[in-house]
Amino acid sequence: MFWRLVFQLLRGSRARLTVAILALVSGAAVISGLLNLDFGVEYQLTQQFRTLGANIVIAPRAAPSLPESGPSNPALMNEAELSQVQANIPPRTPYSPFTYVVARAEGNPVVAVGAWLDQLQALNPTWKMEGNWVASRDDSAACLIGRNASRQLHLATGSALRVQYLNQTAECRVSGILDAGAADDNQVFMNLRALQSLAGLGGKVSLVQLSVNGGPAAAATAASQLTNALPEVEVRPIREVTDAEGHLLGRIRLLIVSMIVLILILTALCVLATMAALAMERRADVGLMKALGGSIGRIAGIFIAEVGVLGALGGIIGAALGAGLSYWMGLRVFEAAIPPRWEVFPITVLTMTVVAMAGALPLRALGAVKPASILRGE
C-alpha cells in the first residue's frame, strides 16, 4: 500500500514533477560528465604534456660541456653509474642516455649527438620526420639529422654522412630528417656506441633524459627514487614542464568542482520551487490522510519516498547521459575519448537523491495541516 500511494502521487502531479525530473536529469548529466572528465583529465593532460618531451634529466654534478679537443672531460658520467635507472622508474618509461660532441661534417662544425635512436620518437612525439625513424638502438649504420643541418650539408634521406672528430671518422646513412622546431634541428643524431667510439668516450654519457608518465607527483616520486639510487649524479625534474602541468591540472579541477557546486545549487533551487507549489496543492490530501488516522511520520515517509524516487530516477538517466557528454568533451578538448568511469554512476545517483531530498524541505509545512480545517473547506 505504501508504494502504491507513492506511485499514485507521482502520477497525480505529473505536470509539476516533470519540471523537477527535468532539472534533476539535466543536473545529473552535467555532474556525471564533469566527474568523468575530472577522473580522466589527469591522464589526458599528462599525455598532452608528454608531447613536450622529457620531464626528468640525469646529469653530472658539474655542468656538461661539449668535448672539442679530446676525450678528457670531467663533466661526463660513466654508464655504469646509471645501471639503476631502469629499476627505479615505472615500466615502459621512455628514456635515453645522450653524449654530445662538437664534430665536423662535410667540413662544417656540427653538434653530434649519440643516443638510443629507437627512443627518440617516444621522448619527443611532436618531432616531425621526413623519412624513417631508427627502429633499433643497435643499428650503428643509420643516423638522423636536423632539418637545418641537412640544408647546410646538402643531405637528403638515404645520403651518406661522414662525421669527423679529431683524427677519427665515422660514416652513417641518413635514415630521416627531423623537424623539431628547436636547437635539435641543427644536430646530427648517431648511434650512442658509434659516437662514443668516434670520440674516444667509451662508456661516457653527457646526460640522460626521461619522460615519466603520471603527472607531477609521479615525476617527483621517480626523481626522488633516482636520487637515492644514484647519489653520484644530479637528478632534477624539468620544472617548467612539471610545474606547468601541476598548476594547469589544479586550475582545471578547481573549475570542475566550482561548476559541480553551482549545478547542485541550481538543481536544488528548481526542485525547491516545484515542491513548494506541490505542498500547497496537497494540503487537502494530507488533511484527509490525517482524518483517516494516518500518522504524520507515515505521511511524511510517503512524500520523502516520492522525492527519493525522483532523485534516483533523475540520477540514473542523467548518469547515462553524462557518460556520453564526457565522451564528447574529451574528443573536443583533448581529441581523445574519455571513457565513463563506473564509480561515477553511484556517486551521481546518490548526489541527486540527496539534492532532491534537500529540495523537498517545503513539504515539512504539511505537518501543520489540521484535518478539521480541511474538512470544513478552509
Side-chain angles (χ1 to χ4, degrees), residues 100-279:
Y100 296 84
V101 298
V102 176
R104 301 189 72 82
E106 310 298 333
N108 297 295
V110 65
V111 176
V113 184
W116 291 346
L117 300 182
D118 63 311
Q119 293 291 294
L120 290 184
Q121 184 179 15
L123 281 170
N124 304 280
T126 58
W127 284 7
K128 298 178 182 178
M129 171 63 68
E130 177 186 339
N132 300 308
W133 293 95
V134 179
S136 173
R137 71 184 59 173
D138 298 322
D139 186 356
S140 59
C143 57
L144 303 172
I145 185 171
R147 61 174 182 173
N148 295 339
S150 70
R151 292 170 185 167
Q152 181 184 9
L153 302 176
H154 306 289
L155 296 173
T157 55
S159 300
L161 173 63
R162 178 176 295 179
V163 180
Q164 182 180 3
Y165 183 78
L166 298 180
N167 297 321
Q168 301 293 322
T169 301
E171 292 188 1
C172 61
R173 173 184 47 81
V174 177
S175 176
I177 298 174
L178 300 169
D179 183 358
D184 306 281
D185 291 338
N186 303 307
Q187 299 173 354
V188 173
F189 293 84
M190 302 174 57
N191 173 273
L192 179 63
R193 294 286 176 262
L195 184 104
Q196 289 173 335
S197 176
L198 171 68
L201 297 172
K204 299 286 187 179
V205 298
S206 303
L207 54 85
V208 178
Q209 294 183 6
L210 304 92
S211 182
V212 177
N213 278 320
T221 299
S224 176
Q225 293 175 346
L226 289 169
T227 299
N228 294 331
L230 303 169
E232 302 299 323
V233 298
E234 182 179 0
V235 181
R236 57 178 182 268
I238 300 177
R239 296 298 180 187
E240 291 80 359
V241 176
T242 55
D243 289 352
E245 185 175 355
H247 291 159
L248 184 57
L249 180 61
R251 290 175 182 177
I252 290 177
R253 283 190 161 158
L254 177 60
L255 176 62
I256 289 174
V257 171
S258 301
M259 289 293 295
I260 289 175
V261 172
L262 178 62
I263 293 298
L264 288 176
I265 293 173
L266 293 177
T267 304
L269 289 176
C270 185
V271 175
L272 189 71
T274 302
M275 291 303 167
L278 281 177

Side-chain angles (χ1 to χ4, degrees), residues 63-68 70-77 100 201 204 206:
S65 60
L66 303 183
E68 294 182 287
S72 178
N73 186 353
L76 293 174
M77 299 179 291
Y100 296 84
L201 297 172
K204 299 286 187 179
S206 303

Side-chain angles (χ1 to χ4, degrees), residues 371-378:
S373 299
I374 297 298
L375 294 176
R376 287 198 300 268
E378 296 178 1

